[in-house]
Amino acid sequence: MVSSTEATPPVQAQSSGFRWLQLAMGIICMAMIANLQYGWTLFVDPIDAKFHWGRTAIQLAFTIFVVTETWLVPVEAWFVDKYGPRLVIMFGAVMISLAWVLNSYADSLTLLYAGAVIGGIGAGAVYGTCVGNALKWFPDRRGLAAGATAAGFGAGAALTVVPIASMIASSGYQSAFFTFGIGQGLIVFALAIFLRPPTHAAPARKKQLNLPQSKIDYTPPQVLRTPIFWIMYLVFVMVASGGLMTAAQIAPIAHDFKIANEPVSLAGFQMAALTFAISLDRIFDGFGRPVFGWISDTIGREHTMFIAFGTAALMLLTLANYGHNPIVFVLATAVYFGVFGEIYSLFPATSGDTFGSKYAATNNGMLYTAKGTASLLVPLASLVSAKYGWQAVFVIGVALNATAALMALFVIKPLRRAFILGKEAAVTQPAAQDVRTTA
């Protein structure tokens, strides 16, 4: 546990446009790895059509990817905290290219799963580094910075959904894997050269009653011993499970609802329902992350969680009852992802507020493993849908999101404030006694 009150005064560069440049490069890196998760759904049915392995077996690759991506982030983030972001991002760039190139040649489930492991390692290295670096550069705007960085991951696929779908249709999914794998990796590698962490501590944010921030920097072992960390972890799992299931299964859901190729016209655009849904989902997902991050900087983390999780429950309920209508399917999934993606801005910001900046990358990396835990439920969604239908899967998602919304407001909020205020009092009280004794 390290007090941050003795931090070196910030240099002018850190309050200038340089930190915004660092943020922008992190966002682009995140956009380049977005397809590894959000573009995956486009490949599921083409792979199954070629090899007939079954959706459940193919979706296991998605779970392996997410588990590897998330559960290794604390290790990768430790390297970031110790050596800086450049080498870790370069390593990630090589791994994400290698993963999709391997996927393009995979003629067995073993090779497909190996590609998922390699891709997960690479995506986790890039994701954990970029978010952790943003938290360090922007202690005064953690919600906005984490949200903008995560927006790259959420919206990045929106730019490439149509090109990938077109290439799959015209040249086959193997060609799409190979071409986009090489291109995305090269861009990330080039940007990694210019990324670096702040060299001095930024000034502390003026304390707000609705946005408490710890003055103490907690080490990862200390964080793991706190009950508030595990409660946040549980809520993260509850919310992430529904979003990952929907992201991975949206194409199979649309096909089973028999609306995948139904034309939908909205705002002057007309596309097939599935393509429209995926494109709009990525836009709303990316837009929602910085917006909800900014909102949380203003009204508080837990109040924002309550609004977002509650809205997510409502949208899943809508899909359960009216999802067979193509327009409802497109709009409901868009709004759902618009509020789902905020977990990737709110939880990093909440972690930084609660446990400090010095070990922000590693501490957030440990919390981020909740996404990997949640991904274990993705294959179960296929099994539940096969027996009870997609409506049952959506109802489970409704229950998880509604419970998470209530926990954010009535469990996380009071416990987190008690933790921050109690620990600060324990640190400052002995210091004050020492001053009186010396006097």
Side-chain angles (χ1 to χ4, degrees), residues 217-241:
D217 293 315
Y218 295 89
T219 65
Q222 291 172 330
V223 170
L224 290 175
R225 293 195 294 267
T226 62
I228 185 61
F229 171 83
W230 293 108
I231 292 174
M232 290 165 57
Y233 192 97
L234 174 62
V235 173
F236 199 144
V237 169
M238 293 169 67
V239 178
S241 58

Side-chain angles (χ1 to χ4, degrees), residues 70-74 77 128 351 359-370:
T70 54
W71 287 356
L72 290 180
V73 165
S351 175
Y359 306 101
T362 305
N363 291 337
N364 177 62
M366 295 189 302
L367 185 59
Y368 185 63
T369 63

Side-chain angles (χ1 to χ4, degrees), residues 335-357:
V335 175
Y336 173 74
F337 279 105
V339 295
F340 161 74
E342 52 75 37
I343 63 175
Y344 302 116
S345 56
L346 290 191
F347 281 102
T350 306
S351 175
D353 288 349
T354 309
F355 306 119
S357 297

Side-chain angles (χ1 to χ4, degrees), residues 64-322:
I64 292 171
F65 164 78
V66 177
V67 168
T68 310
E69 177 213 358
T70 54
W71 287 356
L72 290 180
V73 165
V75 178
E76 296 155 345
W78 180 86
F79 281 96
V80 176
D81 284 336
K82 191 170 182 64
Y83 300 109
R86 186 176 304 158
L87 291 177
V88 181
I89 293 286
M90 287 180 173
F91 168 76
V94 173
M95 296 296 279
I96 62 173
S97 285
L98 180 61
W100 270 31
V101 169
L102 182 59
N103 283 347
S104 71
Y105 289 102
D107 56 2
S108 68
L109 285 171
T110 301
L111 286 179
L112 192 69
Y113 296 159
V117 171
I118 295 171
I121 293 172
V126 175
Y127 192 108
T129 302
C130 292
V131 173
N133 211 38
L135 293 176
K136 292 182 179 182
W137 277 104
F138 289 87
D140 54 329
R141 291 188 177 96
R142 283 197 180 107
L144 177 62
T149 304
F153 192 74
L159 302 174
T160 49
V161 164
V162 173
I164 288 178
S166 299
M167 183 171 287
I168 291 174
S170 62
S171 305
Y173 77 87
Q174 297 99 325
S175 178
F177 267 137
F178 187 91
T179 302
F180 281 88
I182 294 294
Q184 291 163 177
L186 287 175
I187 293 173
V188 173
F189 192 90
L191 290 174
I193 299 171
F194 305 100
L195 285 170
R196 70 173 181 82
T199 54
H200 296 80
R205 181 190 178 100
K206 183 179 179 181
K207 186 175 288 292
Q208 297 182 24
L209 292 178
N210 65 340
L211 195 65
Q213 292 183 323
S214 176
K215 295 179 180 179
I216 301 169
D217 293 315
Y218 295 89
T219 65
Q222 291 172 330
V223 170
L224 290 175
R225 293 195 294 267
T226 62
I228 185 61
F229 171 83
W230 293 108
I231 292 174
M232 290 165 57
Y233 192 97
L234 174 62
V235 173
F236 199 144
V237 169
M238 293 169 67
V239 178
S241 58
L244 291 175
M245 177 277 296
T246 308
Q249 306 277 21
I250 188 170
I253 291 170
H255 286 299
D256 289 348
F257 281 2
K258 303 186 186 308
I259 59 170
N261 298 315
E262 289 292 317
V264 173
S265 298
L266 289 171
F269 296 93
Q270 180 171 333
M271 298 185 213
L274 177 59
T275 304
F276 209 154
I278 296 175
S279 300
L280 206 59
D281 292 350
R282 300 284 61 78
I283 294 172
F284 273 63
D285 190 343
F287 180 74
R289 298 184 188 205
V291 167
F292 277 101
W294 174 78
I295 291 173
S296 75
D297 285 338
T298 305
I299 69 172
R301 313 296 183 206
E302 295 88 358
H303 289 95
T304 309
M305 289 180 188
F306 179 79
I307 294 170
F309 301 164
T311 304
L314 181 61
M315 290 303 102
L316 290 175
L317 187 61
T318 301
L319 285 169
N321 291 287
Y322 307 105

Side-chain angles (χ1 to χ4, degrees), residues 342-405:
E342 52 75 37
I343 63 175
Y344 302 116
S345 56
L346 290 191
F347 281 102
T350 306
S351 175
D353 288 349
T354 309
F355 306 119
S357 297
K358 185 173 182 179
Y359 306 101
T362 305
N363 291 337
N364 177 62
M366 295 189 302
L367 185 59
Y368 185 63
T369 63
K371 178 183 173 183
T373 304
S375 71
L376 297 175
L377 300 176
V378 172
L380 294 178
S382 296
L383 299 177
V384 172
S385 68
K387 189 170 184 178
Y388 302 105
W390 288 111
Q391 186 177 31
V393 177
F394 287 133
V395 169
I396 293 172
V398 170
L400 290 173
N401 277 273
T403 303

Side-chain angles (χ1 to χ4, degrees), residues 47-58:
I47 293 173
D48 192 33
K50 183 176 178 63
F51 294 107
H52 307 290
W53 293 329
R55 285 177 180 173
T56 301
I58 294 170

Side-chain angles (χ1 to χ4, degrees), residues 259 262-264 273 322-331:
I259 59 170
E262 289 292 317
V264 173
Y322 307 105
H324 290 82
N325 182 306
I327 295 179
V328 172
F329 182 84
V330 170
L331 293 177

